[in-house]
Structure formats: structure tokens, C-alpha cells
Amino acid sequence: LSNYMFVNDLFEEYRDWNYIIVKSAGNDNRDAKDDFYTRCLLANDSVGQHIIVVGALEDEEVLYNRYMKKASYSNYGEFVDVYAPGKDIYSSVYKSDKNEKYDKMSGTSMASPIVSGVCAMVYETNPELDYGEIIEIVKNNNEYYVIILTDDKSNVKRPVIDALCACNTANR
């Protein structure tokens, strides 16, 4: 809890800055609202408005009519703002026994940098945008979606990141 309070205090101090936090949703295949840190960060209005929570896609195959599949491990639900590829992402690693520097990894932590990159591309396209406008563009300019059947049997429709749509919108 003390780490949460430190982070919250830090963000509170810089709440007027133009920043975006891209947070991975988690890899427990459960509703992201059950994740303590996600819930706490989003509960603070000063911090929550700066956050994009990212889930992972199983692969980039379109299943039907613009819908894609969530990764089996990815957290889901209304707290997840957008999904991005998160399976078998080539990343830097350190394995001392093999002297390897790169390997394929999977998880929402692999999906989050893709969303960070799209945020940077949107800002580069239109530097006049503030963080709130960038977040709205990234979350709401998509051609593909993920649909999740939740525990209470309701469907949750969430967007899949789309760099081209986001940058085209920012350029208008």
C-alpha cells in the first residue's frame, strides 16, 4: 500500500503536466477491475485521466466482421481501454547461461509499448494535442474490436489499437 501512496502522491504533484501513462492490464485472465493497482490508479481522478490500460491480443487474425481474439491470459473488462498485439513479441532479454539478448515474449507488458508508440505517433502528427485528446483519439479511432463475454454473461466490446486511424484523426 505504501508504494501505491507514493505513486499517487507523485502523480498528484504533476497532475497538470501533459503526460500519458500506458499501463498493462495484467496476465491473470480476470476482470481488470480486480487488479489492485489498476483500480487504485483509476480511482484517483488526477491520475486516472492520464491512463490508458492495455490488454493483449492472441494474434492479429481477424475472426469475423472486424473482431479479434483476446489473449487467453490477458485481463479484460471495462477498465481495459484498448488491445494490442502481445503474443510472441520480439524483445530484449538477458539469459546469462545462453548469452542471448533477444527472445519472443508474450503478455500485456509486450502490448503496452505498442500503444505507447501509437501515442507518440499521434503527438508527432499533431503536437498541439493535449494528453486527453491523444488518449481519446487512441481509444476511439479503431476499425477492429475484441468482444469478451464477462462473468455476468454480458458482452464487453473493446477497441484494438489502430495507428493509421489514430494518426489520420490527429491530422484533421
Side-chain angles (χ1 to χ4, degrees), residues 22-39 42 51-56 70 73-84 107-112:
V22 178
K23 185 193 179 309
S24 58
N27 302 313
D28 302 311
N29 190 31
R30 64 180 179 162
D31 196 322
K33 73 179 177 191
D34 296 332
D35 178 72
F36 175 76
Y37 288 105
T38 301
R39 194 173 61 247
L42 291 174
I51 295 178
I52 299 176
V53 180
V54 181
K70 150 188 121 49
Y73 50 80
S74 178
N75 286 357
Y76 55 86
E78 292 182 32
F79 280 18
V80 178
D81 295 309
V82 68
Y83 283 81
T108 58
S109 293
M110 297 292 104
S112 294

Side-chain angles (χ1 to χ4, degrees), residues 42-54:
L42 291 174
N44 181 324
D45 291 335
S46 298
V47 179
Q49 63 188 354
H50 291 266
I51 295 178
I52 299 176
V53 180
V54 181

